[in-house]
Amino acid sequence: MLWVTARLADGSVHAGALHSKDPRSGNLLLLKPSEQAADDCCVVPIFLMRDAILDVQYHGKHESASHSTDARLEPMNKLRGALHEAPNVQASLHRRQAICELLHRQRVPYQLLSSTPPAASPTDSSGISDVGDDAAAQLTILGCLRAWPPFVGDSCQCENELVLGRYLHLLSQVDAILAGVP
């Protein structure tokens, strides 16, 4: 870790080991040795907002641009931007339909929950909401697994490892079906 001294707009000066720097906001997290502890094992975290920082001085060996935190996180920022691009709604609906068909064939209980409040959802005369065209509808499988669009391995949550493992296996079956592999 790099030792830094930051001067703030209120005139205060904070020194500590630079633990992390947020590449988007520029906020800093410093670890300052505790003045109350007799030994050197305790640190106090100090969070500094970018807007309050006037100047930052780096002491010791400063990381080169290729090894800096910002340079290492840049590929993640590009990936994060790609994840927030417009999703393919039709592909997600088609994938959800294939998952529901496979669950129905295997007699696994599931529920398709709308993302809109019940009052805003179109309902038929029986009062059951129609979520067939709701691109943001979520699946609840066996009452414990939640899955949401785009219905891939990292868009689900379940505390039960057995159910999660079976769902991930089901996703691989869906991938094979959608790819046209028998």
Side-chain angles (χ1 to χ4, degrees):
M1 279 191 236
L2 187 63
W3 191 266
V4 297
T5 303
R7 188 170 51 94
L8 304 183
D10 66 356
S12 63
V13 177
H14 298 278
L18 178 63
H19 181 269
S20 62
K21 177 183 176 185
D22 187 340
R24 281 201 175 143
S25 65
N27 299 335
L28 299 177
L29 179 61
L30 302 181
L31 298 178
K32 183 178 180 180
S34 176
E35 296 172 2
Q36 297 175 356
D39 52 6
D40 292 335
C41 68
C42 298
V43 293
V44 176
I46 300 173
F47 183 75
L48 304 175
M49 302 291 285
R50 182 184 186 276
D51 296 335
I53 301 171
L54 293 179
D55 182 41
V56 177
Q57 294 177 353
Y58 297 93
H59 306 284
K61 183 181 174 189
H62 184 57
E63 296 177 321
S64 66
S66 64
H67 293 95
S68 72
T69 305
D70 293 339
R72 285 183 301 215
L73 293 178
E74 189 61 33
M76 277 305 282
N77 290 336
K78 290 178 185 175
L79 176 63
R80 187 177 296 125
L83 291 175
H84 292 296
E85 292 174 0
N88 187 343
V89 175
Q90 291 302 323
S92 179
L93 287 171
H94 187 64
R95 186 170 178 81
R96 184 184 73 201
Q97 180 183 6
I99 291 170
C100 290
E101 288 174 3
L102 197 54
L103 288 168
H104 183 71
R105 263 191 271 148
Q106 295 179 2
R107 296 186 177 129
V108 176
Y110 70 92
Q111 202 174 19
L112 192 57
L113 304 172
S114 176
S115 63
T116 58
S121 298
T123 58
D124 60 13
S125 60
S126 66
I128 300 171
S129 61
D130 178 26
V131 295
D133 293 332
D134 185 2
Q138 295 185 4
L139 275 171
T140 301
I141 302 169
L142 292 170
C144 63
L145 185 137
R146 289 183 330 113
W148 53 89
F151 300 103
V152 293
D154 61 348
S155 64
C156 64
Q157 179 183 19
C158 184
E159 296 294 323
N160 188 325
E161 292 180 17
L162 293 175
V163 173
L164 181 61
R166 292 292 303 263
Y167 177 71
L168 295 176
H169 178 69
L170 181 124
L171 287 180
S172 66
Q173 292 174 336
V174 168
D175 289 337
I177 290 170
L178 294 177
V181 178

